[in-house]
Amino acid sequence: MNDVTAKITLNSYAFKALALTMSKEEVRYYLNGVHFCQEGGKAFFVSTDGHRMLAYNMDHESDSPY
């Protein structure tokens, strides 16, 4: 697996919304966090707690080839 670093500026309201839908229960430890995917000039973020899910996409400019 290759490690890739991307610098993205995320709207604070979107970050708070993603954080609200992350699981905070120890039972659902596998749902803690936010999934991030970058394709072309778009970035995608997804988080869930098993009951609610939020998907957020945004356009961004990056010098990274990934």
Side-chain angles (χ1 to χ4, degrees):
M1 180 189 322
N2 296 331
D3 290 336
V4 177
T5 302
K7 185 175 183 179
I8 293 185
T9 303
L10 182 62
N11 180 322
S12 64
Y13 294 111
F15 183 79
K16 288 178 184 178
L18 287 163
L20 284 173
T21 57
M22 290 183 342
S23 178
K24 292 156 187 72
E25 300 175 21
E26 292 181 23
V27 177
R28 295 179 184 255
Y29 62 89
Y30 47 87
L31 295 177
N32 292 345
V34 175
H35 174 74
F36 166 73
C37 179
Q38 178 182 353
E39 287 185 19
K42 293 189 178 263
F44 303 94
F45 303 86
V46 179
S47 65
T48 184
D49 62 0
H51 300 282
R52 299 172 293 181
M53 182 170 96
L54 177 69
Y56 178 77
N57 66 21
M58 61 182 260
D59 293 327
H60 73 288
E61 295 184 20
S62 174
D63 295 332
S64 174
Y66 302 103

